[in-house]
Amino acid sequence: MCGIIGCVSDSDVLEILLDGLTNMEYRGYDSVGVGVHDGKTIKVIKVVGRVAELAKNPDLKSTCGKIGLAHTRWATHGGVTPENAHPHLSCDRSIAVVHNGIIENYQLLKNELELKGHIFRSTTDTEIIPHLIEEELKTGRNQRDALLAAVNKLKGSYAFLVLFRDLNDRLYGVRKDAPLIIGLGGNKNFVASDVLSFLKHTKEAIFLDNFEVAEVRRNSYTIWNFNGEEVLHTISTLAWEATSFQKKEFTHYTLKEIHEQRESIFKAFNQDINEVDRFCLSLQGVNRVYIIGAGTSYHAALIAKHLFIKMAKLPAEVILASEFEDYIPLVDEDTLLLAISQSGETADVLSAINVGKRKGASVLSIVNTPTSSLARESDYTLYLKCGPEVGVAATKSFTAQLAVIYSIAFRLSNTAADLQRLSKAVNRVFDVERQLAYLAQVFLTAKDCYFIGRGLNYPIALEGALKLKELSYIHAEGFAAGELKHGTLALISEGVPVVALNPNDKTYHDTLSNVAELKARGAKVIGVSDVANPLYDYYVEIPSVESIFYPIVEVIPLQMFAYYSALERGQNPDYPRNLAKSVTVK
Ligand code: F6R
C-alpha cells in the first residue's frame, strides 16, 4: 500500500505535495514524509502520524524547492517510526526514494550492501533502493543507467520514485506490479500512485505499465522498459472530477458515501445493454466460472454466485483472491475468472487473474476505477460508475457492485425488475438513520456483536460484521443463521447483541426460529426486517422489496450502525487504524 507522489514544477512544490498526499491518505496513514530539492541538497522531513501532523512541522517553513517527492505510509517492513517513514536516503544523502510495495530480496541485498560499507538508518525494505543505486553509480554509470541496473536486481512488487541531488530538474518513477501514473500539468508534471493526488491540477495522464521507468521533467517526459528501450504511451483524459472528493455538508466521507447510495446504485444499474450482453455471452461460453474478490468485494461475489444459480442456473464458484492459488490446477482455456474490485488495484486479485491468464483463462471484471490495473488487464469490464470512494470502508461501491451483478443476472435470465420501486425503497431506508445512531449508543460498551442471515442475507451478515469491526473495532462475526446451533450458540450470553437479517422472504420463518433460540440464551436481538415481531428487542424496519433486492436495503442500515458505533467510540470512521483502502501488497 502507501501513497507516493512526486512533482517537478516552475514554482514551489511543497503545498502541492502535501495536498496530493492528503488525497491519497486512504492508501495508508501511519507516517508521512516529504523530500524537497532546495537547489543544493535534498531536504527531508518525516513524522509519525498523518499529513496534518507533517504540515505542523516547523521545519517546513524553511523548506522550498521546485522539485520533490512525498509519501504516506502503511507499514509492511519495519515498525511505525520516524526513521522508517519515507523518503529514504543513500549514505551520502544524494539519492532520495519513496516506495509503495515490497522488495522481497531486500535482506540479501542489504547484507551485500552492508559488506560494502553501507550504513542503514531504518528497518525497511525500501532503504536498500537508494543504497543500491548509490553503489551502481560508483561503477561510472549515469543516474538513469544506475537506476536501471539497480532495478534489475530487485525482486518483488513495487512502484517507487527517485530524486537525485545532482539532477535537480527531473524525477524518476519505476513501476512493477504497483500502480504509477504520470500527470501532465503544463508547467508542472507529476508522478504518483493515484490520479486523485494530482486531479486538481490536470486530467491528462499516462498509466505506466509493469517493467517501466519514467523520467519526468517540468514539461517533458521519457519512458523506457527495464532493458532501457524507449516506450511510447498514449495520453488518457481522466473522467473523474476533482469536486467528487469534497465532503460537502457531511462530517465524514464515509457518511457522505453512505448517503450517495440513493443515486449511485441506480447509476450502476444503468449499464449499456450491449456491454452486459457481451459479458453474459462470455459467462455462458465456458466450462467453469470462478468469481474472485477480497473483503467486501468477496461478499458481493457471494451474492453474485447465489443470483447466477438462482436466476440463471449458471454454476459458479467463489474464491477469496488470496486463496486462489489452490485452484490453479483446475484453471484452463475453458475457465472464466470474474474479478470484482472497487479499486482494481488489490494485489491478491491482480495476482489471481495474472496466474489465470497465464493458464489461458479469460478474465471479466467489475471495477470502479476505470484506469485501474484490473480494468486494463481484463478482457472485458463493467464499471460501477459510483465515482471515487474515499472512506476506507467500502459502502457505495458494495451496493454498486450488487447493482451490476443484478444487471448481469437479469440479462442471463431474461428478466427485469421495477427499479423505480427499488429507488423509493432505498430512499426510505434512510428513515432509520437516527435509530441506528441511537442503537450505537445503546451498545456503546458491547465487546462482541453477531450478525445472522440465511440465503442471500448471509453475505450481508458477513458484510455487516466486517463494517462494524473495521470502523468501530468491536469484535463482530457474521454467521449463516442455520449454523448457530452447530457451535456458535456457545458464544451467546446475557445481553450480547445479535443483528438478525430477517426479511419477508423464504428464509423468514427459519431465521425467526434461530432468533427464538438466541433470545432463550439471553441475546439482545436487533431485527432488521419488514415484518415486526415481539421477539426482537429492537426492530429496524426496512422497506418491502422484491426478495432478491433485500441485500441492498439491509446493508445500508448496517453501514450506518458501523459508522455511528465508530463515532460513539471516538474513532475516525474515514481512517480506521491499521487499514488502507487500496491493498496493493499480498
Ligand atoms: C472493507 C473494504 C475491504 C475491501 C478489500 C477489497 O470495507 O473496503 O475489505 O473490500 O480490500 O478491495 P477492492 O474492492 O478494492 O479490491
Side-chain angles (χ1 to χ4, degrees):
M1 270 100 72
C2 306
I4 59 178
I5 178 171
C7 180
V8 193
S9 176
D10 59 357
S11 55
D12 190 39
V13 291
L14 188 62
E15 283 306 315
I16 294 172
L17 293 175
L18 295 187
D19 186 58
L21 278 189
T22 306
N23 289 334
M24 284 195 296
E25 275 193 316
Y26 73 87
R27 299 180 70 86
Y29 36 84
D30 55 37
S31 45
V32 58
V34 64
V36 173
H37 200 308
D38 64 8
K40 282 198 192 120
T41 59
I42 303 172
K43 186 161 177 194
V44 168
I45 304 165
K46 35 197 204 178
V47 297
V48 166
R50 292 184 42 194
V51 181
E53 288 304 311
L54 180 66
K56 284 187 226 151
N57 191 297
D59 290 344
L60 281 189
K61 287 208 175 74
S62 56
T63 305
C64 69
K66 295 177 182 173
I67 177 165
L69 36 69
H71 183 271
T72 180
R73 181 167 189 242
W74 184 85
T76 53
H77 289 64
V80 179
T81 62
E83 295 74 31
N84 286 342
H86 303 210
H88 290 285
L89 296 165
S90 54
C91 288
D92 65 358
R93 304 180 68 89
S94 72
I95 307 165
V97 170
V98 291
H99 162 226
N100 165 37
I102 289 176
I103 307 298
E104 284 163 10
N105 57 340
Y106 83 100
Q107 200 60 60
L108 185 79
L109 292 169
K110 187 171 178 178
N111 294 345
E112 285 172 12
L113 288 161
E114 277 176 334
L115 284 175
K116 288 178 181 159
H118 288 261
I119 309 283
F120 286 81
R121 304 172 184 101
S122 77
T123 52
T124 63
D125 52 344
T126 305
E127 199 187 347
I128 60 123
I129 304 173
H131 291 277
L132 197 57
I133 302 170
E134 186 175 37
E135 200 54 35
E136 296 296 340
L137 279 172
K138 288 182 191 161
T139 64
R141 292 182 167 101
N142 65 22
Q143 283 86 347
R144 186 206 79 142
D145 291 348
L147 170 60
L148 280 171
V151 159
N152 280 298
K153 292 189 173 156
L154 300 177
K155 290 202 171 74
S157 46
Y158 48 80
F160 64 86
L161 307 181
V162 188
L163 174 58
F164 290 97
R165 183 193 57 203
D166 300 337
L167 286 178
N168 69 356
D169 64 344
R170 71 197 77 172
L171 278 167
Y172 289 92
V174 180
R175 179 194 158 132
K176 180 186 169 277
D177 293 333
L180 197 63
I181 306 118
I182 300 175
L184 303 172
N187 55 359
K188 53 175 92 66
N189 284 341
F190 302 85
V191 55
S193 305
D194 193 325
V195 298
L196 302 190
S197 62
F198 57 71
L199 195 56
K200 202 185 262 185
H201 305 278
T202 179
K203 287 190 165 192
E204 306 276 278
I206 295 167
F207 291 83
L208 294 181
D209 284 324
N210 283 335
F211 307 105
E212 287 184 349
V213 176
E215 182 185 80
V216 178
R217 302 186 195 212
R218 182 169 66 78
N219 45 23
S220 68
Y221 64 90
T222 315
I223 302 167
W224 303 275
N225 62 24
F226 280 8
N227 297 326
E229 294 148 359
E230 192 169 344
V231 189
L232 298 178
H233 272 269
T234 50
I235 299 175
S236 310
T237 303
L238 303 170
W240 284 355
E241 295 298 327
T243 48
S244 21
F245 302 101
Q246 288 160 4
K247 276 190 245 171
K248 299 190 183 149
E249 73 271 27
F250 295 97
T251 38
H252 294 99
Y253 285 112
T254 308
L255 188 62
K256 174 192 164 220
E257 288 159 4
I258 291 172
H259 276 262
E260 278 176 355
Q261 291 175 106
R262 297 171 201 260
E263 291 95 37
S264 57
I265 293 172
F266 301 94
K267 284 188 189 155
F269 263 115
N270 190 15
Q271 297 288 329
D272 180 319
I273 206 81
N274 297 319
E275 291 181 5
V276 179
D277 281 347
R278 233 173 100 179
F279 220 78
C280 293
L281 268 180
S282 306
L283 277 170
Q284 287 165 319
V286 289
N287 195 18
R288 256 187 299 275
V289 176
Y290 292 129
I291 316 178
I292 294 163
T296 291
S297 297
Y298 170 73
H299 300 153
L302 292 174
I303 292 190
K305 170 185 166 159
H306 272 263
L307 292 174
F308 293 171
I309 294 176
K310 189 179 158 83
M311 295 172 67
K313 295 198 178 60
L314 182 99
E317 192 156 347
V318 179
I319 306 172
L320 278 168
S322 54
E323 292 291 325
F324 185 70
E325 215 160 300
D326 285 350
Y327 292 77
I328 295 171
L330 297 178
V331 176
D332 57 21
E333 293 84 3
D334 214 5
T335 306
L336 184 134
L337 307 180
L338 170 53
I340 305 181
S341 172
Q342 187 284 128
S343 61
E345 299 295 351
T346 300
D348 292 324
V349 176
L350 293 176
S351 154
I353 63 141
N354 285 329
V355 174
K357 275 168 74 170
R358 281 202 289 279
K359 293 207 69 187
S362 36
V363 176
L364 298 183
S365 57
I366 299 176
V367 179
N368 194 30
T369 314
T371 48
S372 60
S373 307
L374 180 57
R376 284 178 297 126
E377 285 169 27
S378 304
D379 297 311
Y380 205 60
T381 302
L382 290 176
Y383 294 99
L384 303 184
K385 302 197 252 184
C386 64
E389 188 175 65
V390 180
V392 164
T395 53
K396 65 174 178 173
S397 66
F398 177 65
T399 48
Q401 287 169 342
L402 297 190
V404 177
I405 291 163
Y406 287 120
S407 308
I408 299 167
F410 287 136
R411 286 307 281 178
L412 284 173
S413 58
N414 258 324
T415 53
D418 183 349
L419 292 185
Q420 262 182 355
R421 179 175 164 212
L422 180 65
S423 170
K424 282 190 191 133
V426 167
N427 275 298
R428 274 189 45 215
V429 179
F430 287 86
D431 294 349
V432 296
E433 184 167 350
R434 286 169 74 101
Q435 188 192 4
L436 269 309
Y438 165 72
L439 287 174
Q441 275 174 18
V442 170
F443 292 106
L444 177 59
T445 55
K447 293 211 161 27
D448 311 288
C449 182
Y450 301 105
F451 293 73
I452 60 163
R454 282 171 183 261
L456 271 181
N457 310 301
Y458 167 49
I460 301 302
L462 298 177
E463 177 59 8
L466 178 62
K467 284 297 88 107
L468 190 65
K469 57 188 152 191
E470 73 176 316
L471 291 188
S472 71
Y473 318 152
I474 300 172
H475 167 245
E477 301 295 337
F479 297 106
E483 283 296 293
L484 274 177
K485 55 190 178 293
H486 298 294
T488 311
L489 266 182
L491 294 172
I492 304 302
S493 57
E494 201 59 40
V496 170
V498 179
V499 179
L501 301 167
N502 197 18
N504 190 13
D505 63 11
K506 68 179 175 40
T507 68
Y508 178 76
H509 290 289
D510 285 341
T511 304
L512 202 59
S513 304
N514 301 132
V515 169
E517 289 155 14
L518 287 161
K519 288 289 296 175
R521 284 148 185 94
K524 283 270 180 249
V525 177
I526 303 170
V528 177
S529 181
D530 43 346
V531 189
N533 192 288
L535 280 174
Y536 303 140
D537 296 281
Y538 303 94
Y539 171 46
V540 175
E541 185 177 2
I542 53 168
S544 294
V545 288
E546 282 178 54
S547 63
I548 51 163
F549 288 143
Y550 278 118
I552 288 188
V553 293
E554 284 169 349
V555 78
I556 296 172
L558 303 191
Q559 295 167 347
M560 292 171 181
F561 185 48
Y563 171 80
Y564 286 106
S565 297
L567 288 193
E568 283 299 325
R569 288 166 192 240
Q571 325 297 354
N572 182 343
D574 284 345
Y575 298 103
R577 70 182 176 205
N578 303 340
L579 299 181
K581 187 154 187 71
S582 190
V583 188
T584 58
V585 291
K586 279 180 83 178

